[in-house]
Amino acid sequence: MVNGVRRIGRAALNAVLPPRCLKCGAVVDQPGLLCPSCWASVTFLAPPCCAACGYPFEFAMGEGALCGACSRDRPLYDRARAVLRYDEASRDIILGFKHGDRTDGASALGRWMARAGAELLAEAEVIVPVPLHWLRLFTRRYNQAALLALALSRSSGVPVAVDVLRRRRATPPQGRMSATARRRNVEGAFVVKPERRDRIADRRVLLVDDVLTTGATVNACTRALRRGGAAAVDILTVAQVVRPSQ
Ligand SMILES: [Zn+2]
Ligand SMILES: [Zn+2]
């Protein structure tokens, strides 16, 4: 009841308050936009890029070209794409969406993701978000990946199944962990719910999350989805960490 009241209150507020920049909060023309200076501060990722992880290349390397890291150790997923480079400028957008109350940004971020992931969406049969553990869901009130997945489904028309994956245990936040520690942290943490297997069996799944860092989380989810019968798994995120050379 309290939640319902809060939601109605927010909807009413949104109707009378001017729309605000997703990053700095300055007033903008339409909801879900960045103001001109924030727009100029973020880096949009675009081809050419590694066919697997989406790492941006300076020059076109030919179709199917892989970055150094992927040619040494190919990720479990097929392709990963992102809207923005994850850096100081884009971090505020992600954190505002994750911990703040900027869920109004979901539909704009969904539209951005639909554009950046057009190639993946053309073949995707179902969109699945990375799940939160229920304990964290309880304290945070919403799963940001699920909000993004729902918005992306609205923008693209590809069906979404928000409750396919389950997080078996609450894993500690990975903020400062090394790549190996992250991998161990999420190993075996995800499983496909047996009663939801039919949503992904023999389908091409598009897995959605807010940020792709080392790939530990999406690889663990990909392994679970494959075990659950998915034909292929692609990844689409709002932002992706781009290392100086890869
Ligand atoms: Zn701004
Ligand atoms: Zn790569």
Side-chain angles (χ1 to χ4, degrees):
M1 183 60 192
V2 172
N3 257 340
V5 170
R6 192 183 291 150
R7 213 170 298 134
I8 292 163
R10 177 143 295 277
L13 272 181
N14 284 345
V16 292
L17 291 177
R20 306 228 160 231
C21 169
L22 285 178
K23 179 163 148 50
C24 73
V27 172
V28 288
D29 299 339
Q30 289 169 46
L33 290 184
L34 292 173
C35 73
S37 75
C38 289
W39 179 267
S41 72
V42 295
T43 308
F44 285 86
L45 296 173
C49 65
C50 167
C53 74
Y55 182 86
F57 292 148
E58 235 168 285
F59 309 103
M61 313 267 275
E63 205 172 313
L66 297 178
C67 72
C70 291
S71 30
R72 282 190 301 276
D73 185 13
R74 183 112 200 207
L76 288 177
Y77 57 75
D78 278 13
R79 298 169 291 181
R81 298 294 180 267
V83 182
L84 300 168
R85 182 187 183 123
Y86 188 67
D87 52 21
E88 270 178 41
S90 63
R91 195 169 48 209
D92 292 344
I93 302 175
I94 304 285
L95 291 181
F97 184 60
K98 198 174 199 158
H99 302 290
D101 220 357
R102 297 307 310 266
T103 49
D104 55 311
S107 43
L109 295 177
R111 283 195 299 277
W112 291 359
M113 290 171 90
R115 241 184 336 244
E119 196 192 345
L120 313 187
L121 283 159
E123 294 173 42
E125 292 170 285
V126 61
I127 299 171
V128 170
V130 169
L132 272 187
H133 189 261
W134 66 268
L135 263 177
R136 195 153 301 155
L137 189 60
F138 188 72
T139 52
R140 204 182 279 165
R141 299 198 316 255
Y142 59 89
N143 173 4
Q144 76 283 1
L147 290 187
L148 292 170
L150 288 164
L152 182 63
S153 174
R154 279 195 300 272
S155 291
S156 63
V158 176
V160 62
V162 286
D163 56 352
V164 163
L165 283 170
R166 182 167 72 82
R167 206 182 266 253
R168 279 202 273 217
R169 53 173 203 270
T171 49
Q174 309 199 105
R176 302 225 164 260
M177 284 187 199
S178 71
T180 317
R182 280 170 186 250
R183 202 160 50 232
R184 284 207 199 103
N185 187 33
V186 291
E187 220 162 52
F190 302 96
V191 66
V192 169
K193 293 183 188 169
E195 70 275 22
R196 291 285 179 270
R197 269 185 186 217
D198 58 323
R199 298 299 306 269
I200 56 150
D202 303 316
R203 303 223 166 112
R204 187 164 196 111
V205 175
L206 183 60
L207 182 69
V208 165
D209 205 358
D210 51 358
V211 185
L212 180 64
T213 312
T214 61
T217 299
V218 295
N219 270 327
C221 288
T222 300
R223 191 172 288 121
L225 287 164
R226 288 254 193 203
R227 273 195 196 134
V233 181
D234 291 316
I235 316 291
L236 186 57
T237 56
V238 175
Q240 178 171 356
V241 170
V242 177
R243 281 165 194 82
S245 69
Q246 186 159 311

